[in-house]
């Protein structure tokens, strides 16, 4: 009986450790662009969705802002900005205070 109880305790502890959430390591970046139509929006969203580390993306035509959620261990701000620029658009990071960083 002791062996069964000990085995059950070990299994429960192992399952708890395995299922424990790890820090996500995700950040969000807002980039001011010069996109001006739905075709531009689709082009950016489609391309950036396959960029390494990107977990979510939303481009807003009226404000010309692209919001990207990404994994910090897979990519960084400079790579995301470079990817948008590679598509032929301007890309300036919007700081939390609302100012653009070039």
């Amino acid at each position: 009986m002791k062996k069964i109880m000990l085995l059950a305790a070990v299994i429960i502890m192992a399952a708890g450790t395995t299922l424990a959430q790890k820090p996500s390591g995700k950040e969000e970046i807002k980039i001011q662009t010069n996109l001006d139509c739905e075709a531009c929006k689709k082009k950016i969203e489609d391309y950036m969705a396959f960029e390494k580390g990107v977990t979510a993306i939303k481009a807003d035509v009226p404000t010309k802002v692209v919001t990207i959620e990404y994994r910090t261990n897979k990519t960084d701000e400079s790579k995301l900005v470079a990817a948008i620029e590679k598509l032929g658009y301007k890309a300036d990071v919007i700081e939390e205070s609302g100012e653009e960083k070039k």
Side-chain angles (χ1 to χ4, degrees):
M1 187 66 164
K2 277 186 174 181
K3 288 183 181 180
I4 293 173
M5 294 297 281
L6 182 60
L7 182 61
V10 169
I11 290 172
I12 290 171
M13 288 176 58
T17 320
T18 305
L19 298 175
Q21 287 186 341
K22 296 179 183 174
S24 65
K26 290 184 182 178
E27 286 191 19
E28 185 178 275
I29 182 175
K30 292 184 183 280
I31 301 173
Q32 186 71 52
T33 65
N34 59 337
L35 70 94
D36 59 359
C37 65
E38 290 296 319
C40 296
K41 173 184 174 169
K42 182 169 175 26
K43 181 178 178 182
I44 291 172
E45 287 180 343
D46 288 351
Y47 180 80
M48 294 301 291
F50 291 100
E51 191 68 24
K52 185 175 182 180
V54 172
T55 57
I57 181 163
K58 180 181 181 292
D60 186 51
V61 177
T63 61
K64 301 179 187 236
V65 173
V66 177
T67 305
I68 303 171
E69 182 182 270
Y70 65 98
R71 294 175 190 240
T72 55
N73 63 339
K74 300 284 184 182
T75 192
D76 58 36
E77 287 184 4
S78 62
K79 290 177 184 174
L80 297 172
V81 167
I84 291 176
E85 289 174 342
K86 184 177 176 181
L87 292 171
Y89 298 96
K90 287 183 183 179
D92 298 313
V93 176
I94 300 173
E95 294 296 316
E96 300 244 349
S97 64
E99 297 177 14
E100 293 179 15
K101 179 175 84 174
K102 295 182 179 186

